[in-house]
Amino acid sequence: MSAPIRYYYDLMSQPSRALFIIFRLSNMPFEDCVVALRNGEHLAEDFKKEINRFQRVPCIHDNGYKLAESVAILRYLSAKGKIPEHLYPKYFVDQSRVDEFLEWQHTSLRVTCAMYFRTVWLEPLLTGRTPSEAKIESFRMHMERNLDVVEEVWLEGKDFLTGSALTVADIFAACEIEQTRMADYDVRIKYPKIRAWLKRVRQSCNPYYDVAHEFVYKISGTGPQAKL
């Protein structure tokens, strides 16, 4: 019997949270290898040589095989039969719909939510400099263009992003959107479909969803059921 994979992650990282939730929902054993991004552990030369040449999380080691990038990890483990089909379908038509969202979000929702978070919360924390209102507004506008697409296109007539049931697409997206809480952005105010959808995703993924987002809730001062 092979050893469980070694999972290198930090729950400060959106895709790290997504895979953490997916692994737990899949009842997939893994060895916890927490990497403290805030301490720069991923920037050490030993990390680059021994763990991930790209010096990022998440990544896995599977009996000597090293793999980075969250979606690549997802597909690899699905091919090995570790991810249940209701989360990541094997039937090519259903799988392609999930893949369509994963490919779309990486250069749209993920990028713009992450940049808003970095501009408003992370960079001021690291540099001590407050961004201009114009800069904040610019990143907010770009982010909301993609939130508009989630609200008006992906959630049009559906409970979840790709249909009537939760898939990994919903988990990846929710983790990206939740990150904006720490930048004092409450997506629920402007987007009623996203608000209801986030509630469904959380209910479908708990208790693991709240475990993964504990730090986000703490920093933002907004619990999962905080009122508007």
Side-chain angles (χ1 to χ4, degrees):
M1 185 176 180
S2 61
I5 69 164
R6 303 187 73 186
Y7 180 43
Y8 295 87
Y9 69 99
D10 185 336
L11 293 178
M12 273 284 289
S13 152
Q14 304 93 302
S16 286
R17 292 198 299 271
L19 286 183
F20 175 88
I21 294 167
I22 292 165
F23 292 172
R24 291 303 192 199
L25 289 174
S26 302
N27 294 314
M28 190 191 77
F30 62 88
E31 181 182 342
D32 263 311
C33 299
V34 177
V35 179
L37 297 180
R38 62 194 176 278
N39 295 335
E41 290 181 3
H42 59 303
L43 301 176
E45 193 63 25
D46 284 350
F47 188 94
K48 182 178 181 179
K49 288 181 178 179
E50 299 174 12
I51 299 172
N52 182 4
R53 55 187 172 164
F54 302 118
Q55 296 183 280
R56 297 177 180 177
V57 294
C59 60
I60 63 168
H61 287 189
D62 184 16
N63 290 300
Y65 180 66
K66 301 176 182 180
L67 187 63
E69 298 301 322
S70 56
V71 175
I73 293 167
L74 166 74
R75 290 171 176 157
Y76 169 77
L77 293 172
S78 172
K80 291 191 70 174
K82 302 294 186 181
I83 309 297
E85 289 193 45
H86 69 271
L87 288 178
Y88 188 64
K90 290 193 180 295
Y91 177 54
F92 72 97
V93 173
D94 296 334
Q95 186 183 97
S96 66
R97 188 62 70 200
V98 175
D99 284 340
E100 180 183 39
F101 179 82
L102 294 176
E103 298 294 343
W104 173 82
Q105 69 97 28
H106 199 72
T107 57
S108 52
L109 183 70
R110 170 161 171 70
V111 168
T112 54
C113 285
M115 288 306 299
Y116 183 83
F117 163 74
R118 287 182 63 89
T119 300
V120 176
W121 189 82
L122 186 59
E123 289 179 2
L125 180 69
L126 296 176
T127 67
R129 295 192 295 270
T130 302
S132 68
E133 288 299 321
K135 186 176 183 180
I136 293 173
E137 177 62 19
S138 175
F139 281 110
R140 184 192 62 77
M141 180 182 67
H142 284 93
M143 177 178 69
E144 288 188 344
R145 285 176 182 168
N146 290 295
L147 291 171
D148 288 344
V149 176
V150 174
E151 179 85 0
E152 297 167 9
V153 179
W154 288 106
L155 289 174
E156 179 61 33
K158 301 190 295 293
D159 284 342
F160 294 95
L161 295 172
T162 63
S164 60
L166 176 91
T167 70
V168 296
D170 300 283
I171 298 171
F172 274 97
C175 289
E176 295 297 338
I177 292 173
E178 290 282 18
Q179 191 85 346
T180 64
R181 283 178 182 253
M182 293 194 288
D184 293 327
Y185 185 87
D186 193 338
V187 70
R188 301 172 302 165
I189 295 172
K190 188 174 180 179
Y191 299 100
K193 289 181 185 176
I194 293 177
R195 178 174 69 239
W197 163 77
L198 279 173
K199 185 176 181 180
R200 288 191 290 272
V201 174
R202 175 176 173 263
Q203 289 172 341
S204 299
C205 295
N206 258 344
Y208 312 120
Y209 192 91
D210 284 350
V211 171
H213 288 92
E214 183 177 352
F215 184 79
V216 174
Y217 299 152
K218 180 180 178 181
I219 293 297
S220 67
T222 60
Q225 302 186 58
K227 295 182 179 180
L228 295 175

